[in-house]
Amino acid sequence: MDLEQAFQLVGEFGLYQKQMVLILVLLQVYMAFQSMLIVIIGAVPEYHIDQVDNTTVYRINRNIICMSLNNKTFMNWFLTKQHAYKVSLAGSLFFAGVLVGNILFGPLSDKIGRKPVFLTSLFFEVFFGYVTAFAPSYEVFALSRLLVGVTNGGMALVCFVLTQEYVGKSYWAMTGTLSNMTFALGIALFGALGYYVRPWRNLATAANCPGVLFLLLCVTLPESPRWLYSRGYTEQAEKVLQYMAVRNGNVNASAKVKLYKCPGSAKTANQGNSGPGLLGLVTHPVLRWRTVVLMYIWYSCSLVYYGLTMNASEDSGNRYLSVSMYGLVELPAYPLCFYFINKQWAGRRKTMAGFLGLAGLSCLCTMLVPVKAGAFFSATSLALLGKLLVSAAFNIVYVYTTELYPTVIRSAGLGVCSMSCRVGGILAPFVPSMKALHTSMPFMVFCLSGISSGCLGLLLPETLNKPVAETLDELSSPAYHRIVEKEV
């Protein structure tokens, strides 16, 4: 039997698979904490400056936070005025690290396996997260954010792939949607956590502590059976599937799991740990143009998504409430996109393009509405609507991309797309500061990015109700294309 038949036999989404996916989905809360940390601790509060003799005293609510004597600063890093750029720099260093992590760990997980890369990345993210909390200087803090980003990029990428590869393909949209929905919930929870835990070191420590628990829970997870099968390790894949069957309560089914060799897996196995890697994305005629289009879509999604989120810290009012609202506003998006992407008349491609285009139009309308308009029709409400729409598009592009790449090169493909995504993340902290040029400039950037990427998304093929290729040879085979045409 092939792999999909084996999943139907042992259970596409049995009890054990639900437990594994639950752990990986809840891990998104920890990843959201790390991604949004700089939004809270990097916000500049209102302060007052008093001059006492030769000493400059900085106060917040009558509390001394910083003193400067003869141009020497004591007690805290006071990143304002000429040093204010360091806050945005720390946020950009995190996303630069995520970019590096995507490049390194995506292809690596295709070569040596999902589990070792995932656990190693998670361990070091927790470690460097504590370095952030106890950093003695800004330089150590900035370096730790870079390293947290590197490990976060590898861990998050493989985590999402595992939520897909542990279950049958018919559940990919659901597990992917749950992962992204939990990330949005994590953003909202982090806003509440920041409200109650004000000292930034305490907040960084509290945000990092859940990682220890998840690291202990993830040690027991098995290797991906899809990766084992695509790499030619048929016997190991059978053992993992048999173990899943037993844990799902299908003891009789475990003895019936017998896989035949995956087409093209012999060639992959002969390549040792090299595999097709990043070179396969460039040399393969089908994947080459898919990757170019997907890279721009991921870049645009990230720029608009994180740009609108970080714009919350630029808004006046309660920044903790703003961050939570920018997380909670995403939640209605996921049931919407889950409904549309499973409809034959909409599918993955049209739904993704539609949400991106509407997000761009929402940002366009934001520029035309006065900031202090009515409560239900204002620039802020339209910005929140744009965040909702781009969140739906971001969720779809994750699921869509995993279906467009064969298993043997899936992490590499996701890694390259995530790399371009992080370019958008690197630029995102600086986009809100473009208000200095014109108040509508940030939303103009978001508008053009959303509409253009939505149009390009229509060039990609539909994947709804179509089989997923396991190897490059299977993707290129006439038999695979005949099956795909029948599924249309």
Side-chain angles (χ1 to χ4, degrees), residues 389-427:
L389 294 168
V390 78
S391 300
F394 216 161
N395 173 62
I396 297 169
V397 77
Y398 265 96
V399 177
Y400 193 27
T401 302
T402 58
E403 295 177 344
L404 287 170
Y405 286 110
T407 301
V408 73
I409 203 171
R410 182 169 295 127
S411 286
L414 275 173
V416 169
C417 292
S418 295
M419 176 191 69
S420 61
C421 169
R422 303 317 161 189
V423 173
I426 293 170
L427 298 176

CSV table of all heavy atoms in Angstrom, one decimal, residues 389-427:
chain,number,residue,atom,x,y,z
A,389,LEU,N,-7.8,40.2,7.4
A,389,LEU,CA,-7.7,39.6,6.1
A,389,LEU,C,-6.3,39.0,5.7
A,389,LEU,O,-6.2,38.0,5.2
A,389,LEU,CB,-8.1,40.7,5.1
A,389,LEU,CG,-9.6,41.2,5.2
A,389,LEU,CD1,-9.7,42.4,4.3
A,389,LEU,CD2,-10.5,40.1,4.7
A,390,VAL,N,-5.3,39.7,6.1
A,390,VAL,CA,-4.0,39.2,5.8
A,390,VAL,C,-3.6,38.0,6.7
A,390,VAL,O,-2.8,37.2,6.3
A,390,VAL,CB,-2.9,40.4,6.0
A,390,VAL,CG1,-2.5,40.6,7.4
A,390,VAL,CG2,-1.6,40.0,5.1
A,391,SER,N,-4.2,38.0,7.9
A,391,SER,CA,-4.0,36.8,8.7
A,391,SER,C,-4.6,35.5,8.0
A,391,SER,O,-4.0,34.4,8.1
A,391,SER,CB,-4.7,37.0,10.1
A,391,SER,OG,-4.1,38.1,10.7
A,392,ALA,N,-5.8,35.7,7.4
A,392,ALA,CA,-6.4,34.6,6.7
A,392,ALA,C,-5.5,34.2,5.5
A,392,ALA,O,-5.3,33.0,5.3
A,392,ALA,CB,-7.8,35.0,6.2
A,393,ALA,N,-5.0,35.2,4.8
A,393,ALA,CA,-4.1,34.9,3.7
A,393,ALA,C,-2.9,34.2,4.1
A,393,ALA,O,-2.4,33.2,3.5
A,393,ALA,CB,-3.8,36.1,2.9
A,394,PHE,N,-2.3,34.6,5.2
A,394,PHE,CA,-1.1,34.0,5.8
A,394,PHE,C,-1.3,32.6,6.2
A,394,PHE,O,-0.4,31.7,6.0
A,394,PHE,CB,-0.6,34.8,7.0
A,394,PHE,CG,0.9,35.0,7.1
A,394,PHE,CD1,1.5,35.9,7.9
A,394,PHE,CD2,1.7,34.1,6.4
A,394,PHE,CE1,2.8,36.1,8.0
A,394,PHE,CE2,3.1,34.2,6.5
A,394,PHE,CZ,3.7,35.2,7.3
A,395,ASN,N,-2.5,32.3,6.8
A,395,ASN,CA,-2.8,30.9,7.1
A,395,ASN,C,-2.9,30.1,5.9
A,395,ASN,O,-2.4,28.9,5.9
A,395,ASN,CB,-4.1,30.9,7.9
A,395,ASN,CG,-4.6,29.5,8.2
A,395,ASN,OD1,-4.0,28.8,8.9
A,395,ASN,ND2,-5.8,29.2,7.6
A,396,ILE,N,-3.5,30.6,4.9
A,396,ILE,CA,-3.7,29.7,3.6
A,396,ILE,C,-2.4,29.5,3.0
A,396,ILE,O,-2.1,28.4,2.5
A,396,ILE,CB,-4.7,30.5,2.7
A,396,ILE,CG1,-6.1,30.6,3.3
A,396,ILE,CG2,-4.8,29.7,1.3
A,396,ILE,CD1,-7.0,31.5,2.5
A,397,VAL,N,-1.5,30.5,2.9
A,397,VAL,CA,-0.2,30.3,2.2
A,397,VAL,C,0.6,29.3,2.9
A,397,VAL,O,1.4,28.6,2.2
A,397,VAL,CB,0.5,31.7,2.1
A,397,VAL,CG1,1.2,32.1,3.3
A,397,VAL,CG2,1.5,31.6,0.9
A,398,TYR,N,0.5,29.1,4.2
A,398,TYR,CA,1.3,28.1,4.9
A,398,TYR,C,0.8,26.7,4.4
A,398,TYR,O,1.6,25.8,4.0
A,398,TYR,CB,1.1,28.2,6.4
A,398,TYR,CG,2.1,28.9,7.1
A,398,TYR,CD1,2.0,30.3,7.4
A,398,TYR,CD2,3.3,28.3,7.5
A,398,TYR,CE1,3.0,31.0,8.1
A,398,TYR,CE2,4.3,29.0,8.2
A,398,TYR,CZ,4.1,30.3,8.5
A,398,TYR,OH,5.1,31.0,9.2
A,399,VAL,N,-0.5,26.5,4.4
A,399,VAL,CA,-1.1,25.2,4.0
A,399,VAL,C,-0.9,25.0,2.5
A,399,VAL,O,-0.5,23.9,2.1
A,399,VAL,CB,-2.6,25.2,4.3
A,399,VAL,CG1,-3.3,23.9,3.9
A,399,VAL,CG2,-2.9,25.4,5.8
A,400,TYR,N,-1.1,26.0,1.7
A,400,TYR,CA,-0.9,25.9,0.3
A,400,TYR,C,0.5,25.5,-0.1
A,400,TYR,O,0.7,24.7,-1.0
A,400,TYR,CB,-1.3,27.2,-0.3
A,400,TYR,CG,-1.6,27.3,-1.8
A,400,TYR,CD1,-2.0,26.2,-2.5
A,400,TYR,CD2,-1.4,28.5,-2.5
A,400,TYR,CE1,-2.2,26.2,-3.9
A,400,TYR,CE2,-1.7,28.6,-3.8
A,400,TYR,CZ,-2.0,27.4,-4.5
A,400,TYR,OH,-2.3,27.5,-5.9
A,401,THR,N,1.5,26.1,0.5
A,401,THR,CA,2.9,25.9,0.2
A,401,THR,C,3.3,24.4,0.5
A,401,THR,O,4.0,23.8,-0.3
A,401,THR,CB,3.8,26.8,1.0
A,401,THR,OG1,3.4,28.2,0.6
A,401,THR,CG2,5.2,26.6,0.6
A,402,THR,N,2.8,23.9,1.6
A,402,THR,CA,3.2,22.5,1.9
A,402,THR,C,2.6,21.5,0.9
A,402,THR,O,3.1,20.5,0.7
A,402,THR,CB,2.6,22.1,3.3
A,402,THR,OG1,1.2,22.3,3.4
A,402,THR,CG2,3.3,23.0,4.4
A,403,GLU,N,1.4,21.9,0.3
A,403,GLU,CA,0.8,21.0,-0.7
A,403,GLU,C,1.5,21.2,-2.1
A,403,GLU,O,1.4,20.2,-2.9
A,403,GLU,CB,-0.7,21.3,-0.8
A,403,GLU,CG,-1.4,21.0,0.5
A,403,GLU,CD,-2.9,21.4,0.4
A,403,GLU,OE1,-3.3,22.1,-0.5
A,403,GLU,OE2,-3.7,20.9,1.3
A,404,LEU,N,2.1,22.3,-2.3
A,404,LEU,CA,2.8,22.5,-3.6
A,404,LEU,C,4.2,21.8,-3.7
A,404,LEU,O,4.7,21.7,-4.8
A,404,LEU,CB,2.9,24.0,-3.9
A,404,LEU,CG,1.6,24.7,-4.2
A,404,LEU,CD1,1.8,26.2,-4.2
A,404,LEU,CD2,1.1,24.3,-5.6
A,405,TYR,N,4.8,21.5,-2.6
A,405,TYR,CA,6.1,20.9,-2.6
A,405,TYR,C,6.0,19.4,-2.2
A,405,TYR,O,5.3,19.0,-1.3
A,405,TYR,CB,7.0,21.6,-1.6
A,405,TYR,CG,7.5,23.0,-2.0
A,405,TYR,CD1,7.0,24.1,-1.4
A,405,TYR,CD2,8.4,23.1,-3.1
A,405,TYR,CE1,7.4,25.4,-1.8
A,405,TYR,CE2,8.8,24.4,-3.5
A,405,TYR,CZ,8.3,25.5,-2.9
A,405,TYR,OH,8.8,26.7,-3.3
A,406,PRO,N,6.8,18.6,-2.9
A,406,PRO,CA,6.9,17.2,-2.5
A,406,PRO,C,7.6,17.0,-1.2
A,406,PRO,O,8.3,17.9,-0.7
A,406,PRO,CB,7.8,16.6,-3.6
A,406,PRO,CG,7.8,17.5,-4.7
A,406,PRO,CD,7.6,18.9,-4.1
A,407,THR,N,7.3,15.9,-0.5
A,407,THR,CA,7.8,15.6,0.9
A,407,THR,C,9.3,15.7,0.9
A,407,THR,O,9.8,16.3,1.9
A,407,THR,CB,7.3,14.3,1.3
A,407,THR,OG1,5.9,14.2,1.3
A,407,THR,CG2,7.8,14.0,2.8
A,408,VAL,N,10.0,15.2,0.0
A,408,VAL,CA,11.5,15.1,0.0
A,408,VAL,C,12.1,16.5,0.0
A,408,VAL,O,13.3,16.6,0.4
A,408,VAL,CB,12.0,14.3,-1.2
A,408,VAL,CG1,11.8,15.0,-2.5
A,408,VAL,CG2,13.4,13.8,-0.9
A,409,ILE,N,11.4,17.5,-0.4
A,409,ILE,CA,12.0,18.8,-0.5
A,409,ILE,C,11.1,19.9,0.2
A,409,ILE,O,11.2,21.1,0.0
A,409,ILE,CB,12.2,19.2,-2.0
A,409,ILE,CG1,13.3,20.3,-2.1
A,409,ILE,CG2,11.0,19.6,-2.7
A,409,ILE,CD1,13.8,20.5,-3.5
A,410,ARG,N,10.1,19.4,0.9
A,410,ARG,CA,9.1,20.3,1.5
A,410,ARG,C,9.7,21.3,2.5
A,410,ARG,O,9.4,22.5,2.4
A,410,ARG,CB,8.0,19.5,2.2
A,410,ARG,CG,6.8,20.3,2.8
A,410,ARG,CD,5.7,19.5,3.2
A,410,ARG,NE,5.1,18.8,2.1
A,410,ARG,CZ,4.9,17.5,2.0
A,410,ARG,NH1,5.2,16.7,3.0
A,410,ARG,NH2,4.4,16.9,0.9
A,411,SER,N,10.5,20.9,3.4
A,411,SER,CA,11.1,21.8,4.3
A,411,SER,C,12.0,22.8,3.7
A,411,SER,O,12.1,24.0,4.1
A,411,SER,CB,11.9,21.0,5.4
A,411,SER,OG,11.0,20.4,6.3
A,412,ALA,N,12.7,22.4,2.6
A,412,ALA,CA,13.6,23.3,1.9
A,412,ALA,C,12.8,24.4,1.2
A,412,ALA,O,13.1,25.5,1.2
A,412,ALA,CB,14.5,22.5,0.9
A,413,GLY,N,11.7,23.9,0.6
A,413,GLY,CA,10.8,24.9,-0.1
A,413,GLY,C,10.2,25.9,0.9
A,413,GLY,O,10.1,27.1,0.7
A,414,LEU,N,9.7,25.3,2.1
A,414,LEU,CA,9.1,26.2,3.1
A,414,LEU,C,10.2,27.1,3.6
A,414,LEU,O,10.0,28.3,4.0
A,414,LEU,CB,8.6,25.4,4.2
A,414,LEU,CG,7.1,24.9,4.1
A,414,LEU,CD1,6.8,23.9,5.2
A,414,LEU,CD2,6.1,26.1,4.1
A,415,GLY,N,11.5,26.6,3.7
A,415,GLY,CA,12.6,27.4,4.2
A,415,GLY,C,12.9,28.6,3.4
A,415,GLY,O,13.1,29.7,3.8
A,416,VAL,N,12.9,28.4,2.0
A,416,VAL,CA,13.2,29.5,1.1
A,416,VAL,C,12.0,30.5,1.1
A,416,VAL,O,12.3,31.7,1.1
A,416,VAL,CB,13.4,28.9,-0.3
A,416,VAL,CG1,13.4,30.0,-1.3
A,416,VAL,CG2,14.7,28.1,-0.4
A,417,CYS,N,10.8,30.0,1.2
A,417,CYS,CA,9.7,30.9,1.2
A,417,CYS,C,9.7,31.7,2.5
A,417,CYS,O,9.4,32.9,2.5
A,417,CYS,CB,8.4,30.1,1.1
A,417,CYS,SG,8.1,29.4,-0.5
A,418,SER,N,10.0,31.0,3.6
A,418,SER,CA,10.1,31.7,4.9
A,418,SER,C,11.2,32.7,4.9
A,418,SER,O,11.2,33.7,5.6
A,418,SER,CB,10.3,30.7,6.0
A,418,SER,OG,9.1,29.8,6.1
A,419,MET,N,12.3,32.4,4.2
A,419,MET,CA,13.4,33.3,4.1
A,419,MET,C,12.9,34.7,3.5
A,419,MET,O,13.2,35.7,4.1
A,419,MET,CB,14.5,32.8,3.2
A,419,MET,CG,15.7,33.7,3.0
A,419,MET,SD,16.8,33.1,1.7
A,419,MET,CE,15.7,33.3,0.2
A,420,SER,N,12.2,34.6,2.4
A,420,SER,CA,11.7,35.9,1.9
A,420,SER,C,10.6,36.5,2.8
A,420,SER,O,10.5,37.7,2.9
A,420,SER,CB,11.0,35.6,0.5
A,420,SER,OG,10.0,34.7,0.6
A,421,CYS,N,9.9,35.6,3.5
A,421,CYS,CA,8.9,36.1,4.5
A,421,CYS,C,9.6,36.9,5.6
A,421,CYS,O,9.2,38.0,6.0
A,421,CYS,CB,8.2,34.9,5.1
A,421,CYS,SG,7.2,35.3,6.6
A,422,ARG,N,10.8,36.5,6.0
A,422,ARG,CA,11.6,37.2,7.1
A,422,ARG,C,12.2,38.5,6.5
A,422,ARG,O,12.5,39.4,7.3
A,422,ARG,CB,12.6,36.3,7.6
A,422,ARG,CG,12.1,35.0,8.2
A,422,ARG,CD,10.8,35.1,9.0
A,422,ARG,NE,10.1,33.9,9.1
A,422,ARG,CZ,8.9,33.8,9.6
A,422,ARG,NH1,8.2,34.8,10.0
A,422,ARG,NH2,8.3,32.6,9.7
A,423,VAL,N,12.4,38.6,5.2
A,423,VAL,CA,12.8,39.9,4.7
A,423,VAL,C,11.7,40.9,5.0
A,423,VAL,O,12.0,42.1,5.4
A,423,VAL,CB,13.1,39.8,3.2
A,423,VAL,CG1,13.4,41.2,2.6
A,423,VAL,CG2,14.3,38.9,2.9
A,424,GLY,N,10.5,40.5,4.8
A,424,GLY,CA,9.4,41.4,5.1
A,424,GLY,C,9.3,41.7,6.6
A,424,GLY,O,9.0,42.8,7.0
A,425,GLY,N,9.6,40.6,7.4
A,425,GLY,CA,9.7,40.8,8.9
A,425,GLY,C,10.8,41.8,9.3
A,425,GLY,O,10.6,42.6,10.2
A,426,ILE,N,11.9,41.7,8.6
A,426,ILE,CA,13.0,42.6,8.9
A,426,ILE,C,12.6,44.1,8.6
A,426,ILE,O,12.9,45.0,9.4
A,426,ILE,CB,14.3,42.2,8.1
A,426,ILE,CG1,14.8,40.9,8.6
A,426,ILE,CG2,15.4,43.3,8.3
A,426,ILE,CD1,15.9,40.3,7.7
A,427,LEU,N,11.9,44.3,7.5
A,427,LEU,CA,11.5,45.6,7.1
A,427,LEU,C,10.3,46.1,7.9
A,427,LEU,O,10.1,47.4,8.1
A,427,LEU,CB,11.2,45.7,5.6
A,427,LEU,CG,12.4,45.4,4.7
A,427,LEU,CD1,11.9,45.3,3.3
A,427,LEU,CD2,13.5,46.3,4.9
